[in-house]
Amino acid sequence: MQCGAAVKTFDRIAVEDLTDEQAAAELERLAAEIAAHDRRYYVESAPTVEDAEYDALRLRNEAIEARFPGLIRDDSPSQRVGAPVAEGFRTVRHARPMLSLQNAFDPDAVHEFVARVRRFLSLGEDEPVEMVAEPKIDGLSISLRYEKGRLVLGATRGDGTQGEDVTANIRTIGDIPSRLKGDAPDVLEVRGEIYMRRHDFRDMNEAREAAGEPLYANPRNSASGSLRQLDPSVTARRKLRFFGYSWGEISEPAGDSQWAFLERLKAWGFPVNPLVRRCTSADEALAFYREIGEARAGLDYEIDGVVYKISRFDWQERLGMVSRAPRWAIAHKFAAEQAETVLERIEIQVGRTGALTPVAYLAPVTVGGVVVRRATLHNEDEIARKDVRVGDTVVIQRAGDVIPQVVSAVPAKRPKDSVPFVFPDRCPACGSLAVRQTDPETGTQDVVRRCTGGLICPAQAVERLKHFVSRAAFDIEGLGRKHILAFWEDELIKSPADIFRLKNRTDALESREGWGRQSVTKLVDAIEQRRTIGLDRFIYALGIRQVGEATARLLARHYGTVGAWMEAMMGALDPESPARRDLIAIDQIGPSVAEDLTAFFAEEHNRRLLDDLLSEITVTAVEAPQATSPISGKTVVFTGTLESMGRSEAKARAESLGAKVAGSVSGSTDYLVVGGKPGSKATKARELGVTVVSEEEWRELIGG
Ligand code: IVH
């Protein structure tokens, strides 16, 4: 059985050298880590890693999947549709699932789509196939439920089956009627896209920059972030817009065709995209695609393709679905937008963990309507591989949501006197040596070069302080990047403990430009509220390499108190010690994480920093999961609808009791919990001799 064995990380082993088992473990770790980063970036707009590190995780995930296609996980970042459900909103089940679309990337695929529809419906050669072609809005989809003409629910797409109840926020959007005009069905779910206009996005980011707040990457993320604010008054200020295009549950027939339905949407008071067009052949659809492609840069909202929909509803019904996407529609995506410009200089940025990240500064160029001045060059090896040089004309690309990238240099336009870029081996912020570590076991070199200056490096110090106060760590409101930098420069905050001593420096604070008694009191209050913190957040806040939120939680649960944890870490400095063995034996903590943890404790300045900090704050213990629970260490699968709780709650509960929750039944399953309307899983479980329990038996097992 798999589940009893401790899962180790194999992150230092080159992809070519991974065994099947190691690859599976790596894919599991990467899926969880990338999902956590995505959530911080997209949902909370508070990323905690540098781009280069994030890119490296994704690239590794891709490379492992390419070598082991059979191990691709359902929850892999490469398979994910939509964003995870944010915490803090009620989860709602969609009355009818919110579907996704099949994609076409070239004209052949569009011809094939129309031909397939014809074959499926056995249409005669002369029979026209009316389609509605619509711009594919790059926003987030939403389901709006009206009962007797009044808006009663607004829900995000979520995973397509259940999303978040964002009704209060939806009510702040001017484009969305709270009462329908004219005659409307008693129950009507209107589906469409919430988006932010480009100019509103730019204005908002400018204001955020001025306030020292993190910037949103693009209008889609900002629309999504704005809609998921727990405080509707924040959403109200964000200028969100809406286009309707479809329906979910409806108590009367929706009409005859998509074209007619769009007309009804307008009559009920919804905005419908003005560029929609009727087409009757693949060629006409493709002409529309080209036209929209040309108009794209001039539109005040982002689109990422065109959607073709078979218009007749009776045909749509006959065509049905294939794997959560309708057979009657297809999204024809635009290629990534590229442009040429001159690379003026390469700057090296230094992050919290000392990672040196190269950033390309470009002659400003418009790519798909957005002015781009900077792009990522990923890392030293990428610059060498692409031989990108200062002065080169380079091709840059914006692919969907990511930060612009430098794709390649254009050698024909290279200045004669150009020289290859030499990556510095000294930190640009503090002058310390910057090195690339080699893994002693595998001999592979880290792609990232790091500054060895630790806390004497101003860049690292400020980045670490920022991390320390960030949302998942100490969560101190009102202490943004700008303030930390200024306080650090003026020596008001040199180390984390200084933050908690700011209350003794209120005179110095009040005399600063832009500060007054009130704002200082507010800041000091926010700090005071965080003087007590849970051990998991505390460990995460220290910003130790590879110790993200999940790892910090594991450590906190294992060691319980801050005293026990610190003592164990000191004991583990000796690689042969029982304490080190105990550390490595924790499920999901491997030798390389242990190495980073002990390296942190081996530094005297870190130990001093901890002592100093602990003299200011109180760290509360975290309860370990009940090891005595009968399901601890067991693998559990849920099937069917549970009466007493939602699926995610059941999963969280089981995990908190130490069980592993799997999606499908296999030989290693210990329990299958069956709710109402179970599917084929129950049959399979019985065949495999897996213990099948009812929801009630399950509740008894876990103690009510
Ligand atoms: S139709 C079955 N129409 O694209 C109907 N979707 O990749 C599914 N989208 O989740 C949606 N503009 O968020 C449709 N005119 C449009 C759209 C559109 C944008 C989004 C929508 C959907 C995603 C699928």
Side-chain angles (χ1 to χ4, degrees), residues 239-282:
K239 301 202 173 148
L240 295 175
R241 318 277 307 199
F242 176 76
F243 282 129
Y245 51 66
S246 168
W247 44 277
E249 190 180 350
I250 186 162
S251 57
E252 293 168 15
D256 293 334
S257 69
Q258 173 69 3
W259 188 256
F261 183 73
L262 293 179
E263 288 302 319
R264 292 183 80 188
L265 277 179
K266 284 189 242 174
W268 288 322
F270 294 98
V272 167
N273 187 280
L275 303 171
V276 296
R277 170 97 46 94
R278 264 194 284 198
C279 314
T280 48
S281 68

mmCIF file of all heavy atoms in Angstrom, residues 239-282:
data_model
loop_
_atom_site.group_PDB
_atom_site.id
_atom_site.type_symbol
_atom_site.label_atom_id
_atom_site.label_comp_id
_atom_site.label_asym_id
_atom_site.label_seq_id
_atom_site.Cartn_x
_atom_site.Cartn_y
_atom_site.Cartn_z
ATOM 1 N N LYS A 239 -15.055 49.665 -10.980
ATOM 2 C CA LYS A 239 -15.533 49.846 -12.358
ATOM 3 C C LYS A 239 -15.537 48.557 -13.178
ATOM 4 O O LYS A 239 -14.848 48.450 -14.192
ATOM 5 C CB LYS A 239 -14.666 50.888 -13.068
ATOM 6 C CG LYS A 239 -14.675 52.229 -12.375
ATOM 7 C CD LYS A 239 -14.278 53.314 -13.329
ATOM 8 C CE LYS A 239 -14.441 54.670 -12.696
ATOM 9 N NZ LYS A 239 -13.514 55.656 -13.118
ATOM 10 N N LEU A 240 -16.263 47.591 -12.721
ATOM 11 C CA LEU A 240 -16.371 46.348 -13.481
ATOM 12 C C LEU A 240 -17.509 46.456 -14.491
ATOM 13 O O LEU A 240 -18.452 47.209 -14.299
ATOM 14 C CB LEU A 240 -16.603 45.171 -12.534
ATOM 15 C CG LEU A 240 -15.441 44.891 -11.591
ATOM 16 C CD1 LEU A 240 -15.795 43.786 -10.610
ATOM 17 C CD2 LEU A 240 -14.190 44.530 -12.374
ATOM 18 N N ARG A 241 -17.391 45.697 -15.578
ATOM 19 C CA ARG A 241 -18.395 45.724 -16.644
ATOM 20 C C ARG A 241 -18.865 44.303 -16.949
ATOM 21 O O ARG A 241 -18.264 43.332 -16.493
ATOM 22 C CB ARG A 241 -17.775 46.323 -17.924
ATOM 23 C CG ARG A 241 -16.892 47.511 -17.727
ATOM 24 C CD ARG A 241 -17.659 48.762 -17.621
ATOM 25 N NE ARG A 241 -18.561 48.940 -18.730
ATOM 26 C CZ ARG A 241 -19.081 50.113 -19.079
ATOM 27 N NH1 ARG A 241 -18.746 51.211 -18.396
ATOM 28 N NH2 ARG A 241 -19.910 50.209 -20.071
ATOM 29 N N PHE A 242 -19.896 44.217 -17.763
ATOM 30 C CA PHE A 242 -20.470 42.894 -18.043
ATOM 31 C C PHE A 242 -20.965 42.797 -19.472
ATOM 32 O O PHE A 242 -21.501 43.761 -20.005
ATOM 33 C CB PHE A 242 -21.637 42.646 -17.074
ATOM 34 C CG PHE A 242 -22.372 41.352 -17.313
ATOM 35 C CD1 PHE A 242 -21.817 40.146 -16.914
ATOM 36 C CD2 PHE A 242 -23.613 41.347 -17.935
ATOM 37 C CE1 PHE A 242 -22.490 38.949 -17.133
ATOM 38 C CE2 PHE A 242 -24.297 40.146 -18.154
ATOM 39 C CZ PHE A 242 -23.728 38.948 -17.749
ATOM 40 N N PHE A 243 -20.757 41.624 -20.113
ATOM 41 C CA PHE A 243 -21.420 41.260 -21.362
ATOM 42 C C PHE A 243 -22.144 39.933 -21.150
ATOM 43 O O PHE A 243 -21.539 38.983 -20.639
ATOM 44 C CB PHE A 243 -20.414 41.027 -22.497
ATOM 45 C CG PHE A 243 -19.865 42.285 -23.115
ATOM 46 C CD1 PHE A 243 -18.494 42.448 -23.257
ATOM 47 C CD2 PHE A 243 -20.708 43.287 -23.582
ATOM 48 C CE1 PHE A 243 -17.972 43.592 -23.848
ATOM 49 C CE2 PHE A 243 -20.189 44.436 -24.178
ATOM 50 C CZ PHE A 243 -18.820 44.587 -24.306
ATOM 51 N N GLY A 244 -23.421 39.860 -21.537
ATOM 52 C CA GLY A 244 -24.155 38.595 -21.425
ATOM 53 C C GLY A 244 -24.013 37.806 -22.716
ATOM 54 O O GLY A 244 -23.910 38.387 -23.802
ATOM 55 N N TYR A 245 -24.009 36.447 -22.626
ATOM 56 C CA TYR A 245 -23.947 35.654 -23.855
ATOM 57 C C TYR A 245 -24.642 34.292 -23.775
ATOM 58 O O TYR A 245 -24.705 33.581 -24.752
ATOM 59 C CB TYR A 245 -22.513 35.470 -24.342
ATOM 60 C CG TYR A 245 -21.521 34.969 -23.308
ATOM 61 C CD1 TYR A 245 -21.612 33.699 -22.761
ATOM 62 C CD2 TYR A 245 -20.460 35.787 -22.903
ATOM 63 C CE1 TYR A 245 -20.698 33.242 -21.833
ATOM 64 C CE2 TYR A 245 -19.535 35.334 -21.970
ATOM 65 C CZ TYR A 245 -19.664 34.062 -21.437
ATOM 66 O OH TYR A 245 -18.757 33.629 -20.521
ATOM 67 N N SER A 246 -25.138 33.910 -22.594
ATOM 68 C CA SER A 246 -25.650 32.554 -22.509
ATOM 69 C C SER A 246 -26.622 32.406 -21.335
ATOM 70 O O SER A 246 -26.838 33.356 -20.592
ATOM 71 C CB SER A 246 -24.438 31.643 -22.380
ATOM 72 O OG SER A 246 -24.796 30.365 -22.031
ATOM 73 N N TRP A 247 -27.174 31.205 -21.136
ATOM 74 C CA TRP A 247 -28.108 30.988 -20.043
ATOM 75 C C TRP A 247 -27.830 29.666 -19.356
ATOM 76 O O TRP A 247 -27.230 28.766 -19.921
ATOM 77 C CB TRP A 247 -29.548 31.043 -20.541
ATOM 78 C CG TRP A 247 -29.770 30.305 -21.822
ATOM 79 C CD1 TRP A 247 -29.535 30.785 -23.063
ATOM 80 C CD2 TRP A 247 -30.220 28.959 -22.001
ATOM 81 N NE1 TRP A 247 -29.812 29.838 -24.010
ATOM 82 C CE2 TRP A 247 -30.246 28.702 -23.381
ATOM 83 C CE3 TRP A 247 -30.628 27.952 -21.139
ATOM 84 C CZ2 TRP A 247 -30.643 27.490 -23.924
ATOM 85 C CZ3 TRP A 247 -31.030 26.732 -21.666
ATOM 86 C CH2 TRP A 247 -31.035 26.514 -23.044
ATOM 87 N N GLY A 248 -28.263 29.579 -18.092
ATOM 88 C CA GLY A 248 -28.108 28.341 -17.336
ATOM 89 C C GLY A 248 -29.478 27.733 -17.112
ATOM 90 O O GLY A 248 -30.126 27.277 -18.051
ATOM 91 N N GLU A 249 -30.005 27.807 -15.867
ATOM 92 C CA GLU A 249 -31.365 27.307 -15.643
ATOM 93 C C GLU A 249 -32.353 28.338 -16.174
ATOM 94 O O GLU A 249 -32.137 29.551 -16.047
ATOM 95 C CB GLU A 249 -31.597 27.075 -14.146
ATOM 96 C CG GLU A 249 -32.892 26.334 -13.892
ATOM 97 C CD GLU A 249 -33.168 26.090 -12.414
ATOM 98 O OE1 GLU A 249 -32.273 26.318 -11.576
ATOM 99 O OE2 GLU A 249 -34.294 25.680 -12.120
ATOM 100 N N ILE A 250 -33.436 27.841 -16.750
ATOM 101 C CA ILE A 250 -34.451 28.764 -17.268
ATOM 102 C C ILE A 250 -35.801 28.044 -17.208
ATOM 103 O O ILE A 250 -35.890 26.866 -17.544
ATOM 104 C CB ILE A 250 -34.066 29.243 -18.702
ATOM 105 C CG1 ILE A 250 -35.013 30.318 -19.231
ATOM 106 C CG2 ILE A 250 -33.968 28.099 -19.680
ATOM 107 C CD1 ILE A 250 -34.420 31.099 -20.397
ATOM 108 N N SER A 251 -36.836 28.738 -16.707
ATOM 109 C CA SER A 251 -38.100 28.042 -16.460
ATOM 110 C C SER A 251 -39.010 27.981 -17.689
ATOM 111 O O SER A 251 -40.076 27.376 -17.646
ATOM 112 C CB SER A 251 -38.835 28.715 -15.295
ATOM 113 O OG SER A 251 -39.038 30.077 -15.590
ATOM 114 N N GLU A 252 -38.606 28.633 -18.758
ATOM 115 C CA GLU A 252 -39.383 28.560 -20.007
ATOM 116 C C GLU A 252 -38.388 28.297 -21.116
ATOM 117 O O GLU A 252 -37.210 28.573 -20.927
ATOM 118 C CB GLU A 252 -40.018 29.920 -20.327
ATOM 119 C CG GLU A 252 -41.063 30.359 -19.370
ATOM 120 C CD GLU A 252 -41.421 31.837 -19.609
ATOM 121 O OE1 GLU A 252 -41.060 32.393 -20.683
ATOM 122 O OE2 GLU A 252 -42.030 32.419 -18.711
ATOM 123 N N PRO A 253 -38.859 27.856 -22.273
ATOM 124 C CA PRO A 253 -37.891 27.679 -23.355
ATOM 125 C C PRO A 253 -37.144 28.990 -23.627
ATOM 126 O O PRO A 253 -37.731 30.073 -23.551
ATOM 127 C CB PRO A 253 -38.748 27.274 -24.545
ATOM 128 C CG PRO A 253 -39.992 26.713 -23.937
ATOM 129 C CD PRO A 253 -40.199 27.455 -22.643
ATOM 130 N N ALA A 254 -35.849 28.871 -23.905
ATOM 131 C CA ALA A 254 -35.021 30.073 -24.076
ATOM 132 C C ALA A 254 -35.262 30.753 -25.418
ATOM 133 O O ALA A 254 -34.791 31.856 -25.657
ATOM 134 C CB ALA A 254 -33.552 29.698 -23.935
ATOM 135 N N GLY A 255 -36.023 30.095 -26.295
ATOM 136 C CA GLY A 255 -36.272 30.664 -27.616
ATOM 137 C C GLY A 255 -35.757 29.692 -28.667
ATOM 138 O O GLY A 255 -35.562 28.511 -28.378
ATOM 139 N N ASP A 256 -35.542 30.231 -29.879
ATOM 140 C CA ASP A 256 -35.170 29.332 -30.974
ATOM 141 C C ASP A 256 -33.684 29.284 -31.260
ATOM 142 O O ASP A 256 -33.172 28.309 -31.767
ATOM 143 C CB ASP A 256 -35.874 29.784 -32.265
ATOM 144 C CG ASP A 256 -37.373 29.583 -32.159
ATOM 145 O OD1 ASP A 256 -37.761 28.694 -31.370
ATOM 146 O OD2 ASP A 256 -38.120 30.320 -32.823
ATOM 147 N N SER A 257 -33.025 30.405 -31.001
ATOM 148 C CA SER A 257 -31.636 30.458 -31.468
ATOM 149 C C SER A 257 -30.796 31.389 -30.596
ATOM 150 O O SER A 257 -31.334 32.244 -29.882
ATOM 151 C CB SER A 257 -31.587 30.969 -32.909
ATOM 152 O OG SER A 257 -31.945 32.338 -32.922
ATOM 153 N N GLN A 258 -29.514 31.215 -30.683
ATOM 154 C CA GLN A 258 -28.577 32.073 -29.952
ATOM 155 C C GLN A 258 -28.750 33.527 -30.393
ATOM 156 O O GLN A 258 -28.726 34.443 -29.582
ATOM 157 C CB GLN A 258 -27.136 31.594 -30.220
ATOM 158 C CG GLN A 258 -26.042 32.496 -29.670
ATOM 159 C CD GLN A 258 -25.969 32.500 -28.142
ATOM 160 O OE1 GLN A 258 -26.705 31.784 -27.463
ATOM 161 N NE2 GLN A 258 -25.092 33.334 -27.608
ATOM 162 N N TRP A 259 -28.934 33.710 -31.693
ATOM 163 C CA TRP A 259 -29.069 35.077 -32.197
ATOM 164 C C TRP A 259 -30.279 35.769 -31.559
ATOM 165 O O TRP A 259 -30.185 36.887 -31.055
ATOM 166 C CB TRP A 259 -29.175 35.057 -33.731
ATOM 167 C CG TRP A 259 -29.118 36.428 -34.312
ATOM 168 C CD1 TRP A 259 -30.162 37.147 -34.800
ATOM 169 C CD2 TRP A 259 -27.951 37.253 -34.421
ATOM 170 N NE1 TRP A 259 -29.735 38.380 -35.210
ATOM 171 C CE2 TRP A 259 -28.375 38.476 -35.000
ATOM 172 C CE3 TRP A 259 -26.604 37.098 -34.105
ATOM 173 C CZ2 TRP A 259 -27.498 39.528 -35.261
ATOM 174 C CZ3 TRP A 259 -25.728 38.141 -34.359
ATOM 175 C CH2 TRP A 259 -26.182 39.335 -34.926
ATOM 176 N N ALA A 260 -31.405 35.031 -31.547
ATOM 177 C CA ALA A 260 -32.628 35.606 -30.963
ATOM 178 C C ALA A 260 -32.450 35.804 -29.462
ATOM 179 O O ALA A 260 -32.952 36.769 -28.885
ATOM 180 C CB ALA A 260 -33.818 34.685 -31.244
ATOM 181 N N PHE A 261 -31.709 34.882 -28.825
ATOM 182 C CA PHE A 261 -31.511 34.987 -27.373
ATOM 183 C C PHE A 261 -30.725 36.255 -27.028
ATOM 184 O O PHE A 261 -31.021 36.937 -26.040
ATOM 185 C CB PHE A 261 -30.804 33.737 -26.838
ATOM 186 C CG PHE A 261 -30.629 33.762 -25.352
ATOM 187 C CD1 PHE A 261 -31.719 33.558 -24.500
ATOM 188 C CD2 PHE A 261 -29.392 34.026 -24.782
ATOM 189 C CE1 PHE A 261 -31.569 33.614 -23.120
ATOM 190 C CE2 PHE A 261 -29.238 34.081 -23.404
ATOM 191 C CZ PHE A 261 -30.329 33.877 -22.569
ATOM 192 N N LEU A 262 -29.738 36.576 -27.861
ATOM 193 C CA LEU A 262 -28.956 37.793 -27.594
ATOM 194 C C LEU A 262 -29.864 39.021 -27.643
ATOM 195 O O LEU A 262 -29.716 39.952 -26.851
ATOM 196 C CB LEU A 262 -27.790 37.931 -28.589
ATOM 197 C CG LEU A 262 -26.673 36.870 -28.466
ATOM 198 C CD1 LEU A 262 -25.581 37.109 -29.530
ATOM 199 C CD2 LEU A 262 -26.046 36.864 -27.072
ATOM 200 N N GLU A 263 -30.825 38.982 -28.564
ATOM 201 C CA GLU A 263 -31.800 40.088 -28.638
ATOM 202 C C GLU A 263 -32.619 40.176 -27.349
ATOM 203 O O GLU A 263 -32.883 41.252 -26.819
ATOM 204 C CB GLU A 263 -32.758 39.893 -29.833
ATOM 205 C CG GLU A 263 -32.109 40.132 -31.194
ATOM 206 C CD GLU A 263 -31.514 41.532 -31.317
ATOM 207 O OE1 GLU A 263 -32.152 42.503 -30.850
ATOM 208 O OE2 GLU A 263 -30.378 41.664 -31.854
ATOM 209 N N ARG A 264 -33.034 38.992 -26.844
ATOM 210 C CA ARG A 264 -33.821 38.995 -25.601
ATOM 211 C C ARG A 264 -32.993 39.532 -24.438
ATOM 212 O O ARG A 264 -33.496 40.265 -23.587
ATOM 213 C CB ARG A 264 -34.315 37.578 -25.276
ATOM 214 C CG ARG A 264 -35.339 37.065 -26.253
ATOM 215 C CD ARG A 264 -35.841 35.705 -25.828
ATOM 216 N NE ARG A 264 -36.852 35.772 -24.779
ATOM 217 C CZ ARG A 264 -37.327 34.708 -24.144
ATOM 218 N NH1 ARG A 264 -36.867 33.504 -24.435
ATOM 219 N NH2 ARG A 264 -38.247 34.826 -23.214
ATOM 220 N N LEU A 265 -31.717 39.145 -24.416
ATOM 221 C CA LEU A 265 -30.839 39.639 -23.341
ATOM 222 C C LEU A 265 -30.845 41.168 -23.316
ATOM 223 O O LEU A 265 -30.946 41.796 -22.265
ATOM 224 C CB LEU A 265 -29.399 39.151 -23.544
ATOM 225 C CG LEU A 265 -29.047 37.748 -23.039
ATOM 226 C CD1 LEU A 265 -27.590 37.424 -23.352
ATOM 227 C CD2 LEU A 265 -29.285 37.633 -21.530
ATOM 228 N N LYS A 266 -30.748 41.743 -24.518
ATOM 229 C CA LYS A 266 -30.726 43.214 -24.599
ATOM 230 C C LYS A 266 -32.042 43.786 -24.080
ATOM 231 O O LYS A 266 -32.056 44.754 -23.326
ATOM 232 C CB LYS A 266 -30.490 43.666 -26.051
ATOM 233 C CG LYS A 266 -29.043 43.511 -26.488
ATOM 234 C CD LYS A 266 -28.826 44.176 -27.827
ATOM 235 C CE LYS A 266 -28.401 43.140 -28.853
ATOM 236 N NZ LYS A 266 -28.299 43.635 -30.217
ATOM 237 N N ALA A 267 -33.142 43.127 -24.480
ATOM 238 C CA ALA A 267 -34.455 43.635 -24.061
ATOM 239 C C ALA A 267 -34.623 43.573 -22.540
ATOM 240 O O ALA A 267 -35.289 44.403 -21.941
ATOM 241 C CB ALA A 267 -35.564 42.829 -24.749
ATOM 242 N N TRP A 268 -33.999 42.560 -21.903
ATOM 243 C CA TRP A 268 -34.095 42.463 -20.442
ATOM 244 C C TRP A 268 -33.186 43.476 -19.735
ATOM 245 O O TRP A 268 -33.239 43.645 -18.531
ATOM 246 C CB TRP A 268 -33.696 41.051 -19.971
ATOM 247 C CG TRP A 268 -34.719 39.998 -20.292
ATOM 248 C CD1 TRP A 268 -36.066 40.135 -20.233
ATOM 249 C CD2 TRP A 268 -34.454 38.650 -20.702
ATOM 250 N NE1 TRP A 268 -36.675 38.956 -20.591
ATOM 251 C CE2 TRP A 268 -35.715 38.026 -20.876
ATOM 252 C CE3 TRP A 268 -33.307 37.900 -20.950
ATOM 253 C CZ2 TRP A 268 -35.840 36.693 -21.280
ATOM 254 C CZ3 TRP A 268 -33.433 36.578 -21.332
ATOM 255 C CH2 TRP A 268 -34.679 35.992 -21.507
ATOM 256 N N GLY A 269 -32.299 44.098 -20.519
ATOM 257 C CA GLY A 269 -31.462 45.150 -19.936
ATOM 258 C C GLY A 269 -29.993 44.804 -19.792
ATOM 259 O O GLY A 269 -29.256 45.495 -19.087
ATOM 260 N N PHE A 270 -29.537 43.715 -20.461
ATOM 261 C CA PHE A 270 -28.120 43.349 -20.353
ATOM 262 C C PHE A 270 -27.309 43.889 -21.526
ATOM 263 O O PHE A 270 -27.788 43.886 -22.663
ATOM 264 C CB PHE A 270 -27.963 41.819 -20.370
ATOM 265 C CG PHE A 270 -28.556 41.169 -19.174
ATOM 266 C CD1 PHE A 270 -29.829 40.609 -19.241
ATOM 267 C CD2 PHE A 270 -27.863 41.125 -17.986
ATOM 268 C CE1 PHE A 270 -30.389 40.011 -18.133
ATOM 269 C CE2 PHE A 270 -28.420 40.522 -16.870
ATOM 270 C CZ PHE A 270 -29.682 39.973 -16.946
ATOM 271 N N PRO A 271 -26.075 44.312 -21.284
ATOM 272 C CA PRO A 271 -25.208 44.645 -22.402
ATOM 273 C C PRO A 271 -24.809 43.374 -23.154
ATOM 274 O O PRO A 271 -24.510 42.358 -22.527
ATOM 275 C CB PRO A 271 -23.962 45.261 -21.739
ATOM 276 C CG PRO A 271 -24.254 45.368 -20.296
ATOM 277 C CD PRO A 271 -25.426 44.493 -19.979
ATOM 278 N N VAL A 272 -24.867 43.440 -24.470
ATOM 279 C CA VAL A 272 -24.410 42.335 -25.322
ATOM 280 C C VAL A 272 -23.302 42.916 -26.189
ATOM 281 O O VAL A 272 -23.408 44.064 -26.631
ATOM 282 C CB VAL A 272 -25.587 41.802 -26.178
ATOM 283 C CG1 VAL A 272 -25.087 40.889 -27.288
ATOM 284 C CG2 VAL A 272 -26.588 41.066 -25.297
ATOM 285 N N ASN A 273 -22.271 42.135 -26.433
ATOM 286 C CA ASN A 273 -21.156 42.682 -27.202
ATOM 287 C C ASN A 273 -21.637 43.166 -28.574
ATOM 288 O O ASN A 273 -22.304 42.418 -29.299
ATOM 289 C CB ASN A 273 -20.064 41.623 -27.351
ATOM 290 C CG ASN A 273 -18.836 42.214 -27.988
ATOM 291 O OD1 ASN A 273 -18.770 42.375 -29.191
ATOM 292 N ND2 ASN A 273 -17.886 42.588 -27.152
ATOM 293 N N PRO A 274 -21.295 44.407 -28.957
ATOM 294 C CA PRO A 274 -21.832 44.959 -30.202
ATOM 295 C C PRO A 274 -21.202 44.347 -31.462
ATOM 296 O O PRO A 274 -21.713 44.548 -32.553
ATOM 297 C CB PRO A 274 -21.466 46.451 -30.106
ATOM 298 C CG PRO A 274 -20.302 46.507 -29.171
ATOM 299 C CD PRO A 274 -20.505 45.380 -28.197
ATOM 300 N N LEU A 275 -20.128 43.584 -31.317
ATOM 301 C CA LEU A 275 -19.451 43.073 -32.509
ATOM 302 C C LEU A 275 -19.962 41.708 -32.963
ATOM 303 O O LEU A 275 -19.503 41.188 -33.973
ATOM 304 C CB LEU A 275 -17.939 42.978 -32.249
ATOM 305 C CG LEU A 275 -17.276 44.292 -31.818
ATOM 306 C CD1 LEU A 275 -15.841 44.057 -31.374
ATOM 307 C CD2 LEU A 275 -17.313 45.300 -32.957
ATOM 308 N N VAL A 276 -20.915 41.122 -32.218
ATOM 309 C CA VAL A 276 -21.383 39.781 -32.585
ATOM 310 C C VAL A 276 -21.930 39.767 -34.012
ATOM 311 O O VAL A 276 -22.492 40.758 -34.484
ATOM 312 C CB VAL A 276 -22.469 39.245 -31.606
ATOM 313 C CG1 VAL A 276 -21.885 39.068 -30.224
ATOM 314 C CG2 VAL A 276 -23.674 40.169 -31.582
ATOM 315 N N ARG A 277 -21.737 38.635 -34.693
ATOM 316 C CA ARG A 277 -22.108 38.568 -36.112
ATOM 317 C C ARG A 277 -22.687 37.200 -36.463
ATOM 318 O O ARG A 277 -22.261 36.200 -35.908
ATOM 319 C CB ARG A 277 -20.803 38.802 -36.905
ATOM 320 C CG ARG A 277 -20.826 38.565 -38.379
ATOM 321 C CD ARG A 277 -21.029 39.816 -39.179
ATOM 322 N NE ARG A 277 -20.225 40.951 -38.775
ATOM 323 C CZ ARG A 277 -19.045 41.255 -39.317
ATOM 324 N NH1 ARG A 277 -18.518 40.486 -40.259
ATOM 325 N NH2 ARG A 277 -18.392 42.334 -38.935
ATOM 326 N N ARG A 278 -23.651 37.198 -37.402
ATOM 327 C CA ARG A 278 -24.176 35.919 -37.896
ATOM 328 C C ARG A 278 -23.340 35.446 -39.070
ATOM 329 O O ARG A 278 -23.028 36.248 -39.964
ATOM 330 C CB ARG A 278 -25.606 36.120 -38.388
ATOM 331 C CG ARG A 278 -26.596 35.763 -37.320
ATOM 332 C CD ARG A 278 -27.957 35.628 -37.872
ATOM 333 N NE ARG A 278 -28.558 36.941 -38.147
ATOM 334 C CZ ARG A 278 -29.861 37.112 -38.319
ATOM 335 N NH1 ARG A 278 -30.672 36.075 -38.266
ATOM 336 N NH2 ARG A 278 -30.362 38.290 -38.560
ATOM 337 N N CYS A 279 -22.973 34.179 -39.120
ATOM 338 C CA CYS A 279 -22.205 33.629 -40.243
ATOM 339 C C CYS A 279 -22.867 32.321 -40.658
ATOM 340 O O CYS A 279 -23.497 31.663 -39.830
ATOM 341 C CB CYS A 279 -20.787 33.266 -39.839
ATOM 342 S SG CYS A 279 -19.947 34.493 -38.878
ATOM 343 N N THR A 280 -22.664 31.934 -41.918
ATOM 344 C CA THR A 280 -23.287 30.675 -42.322
ATOM 345 C C THR A 280 -22.286 29.670 -42.872
ATOM 346 O O THR A 280 -22.681 28.636 -43.393
ATOM 347 C CB THR A 280 -24.380 30.905 -43.389
ATOM 348 O OG1 THR A 280 -23.835 31.752 -44.374
ATOM 349 C CG2 THR A 280 -25.623 31.517 -42.784
ATOM 350 N N SER A 281 -21.001 29.978 -42.802
ATOM 351 C CA SER A 281 -20.017 28.997 -43.263
ATOM 352 C C SER A 281 -18.708 29.225 -42.523
ATOM 353 O O SER A 281 -18.512 30.278 -41.913
ATOM 354 C CB SER A 281 -19.759 29.173 -44.763
ATOM 355 O OG SER A 281 -19.085 30.412 -44.958
ATOM 356 N N ALA A 282 -17.824 28.233 -42.601
ATOM 357 C CA ALA A 282 -16.515 28.364 -41.953
ATOM 358 C C ALA A 282 -15.762 29.567 -42.531
ATOM 359 O O ALA A 282 -15.092 30.301 -41.794
ATOM 360 C CB ALA A 282 -15.703 27.092 -42.128
#
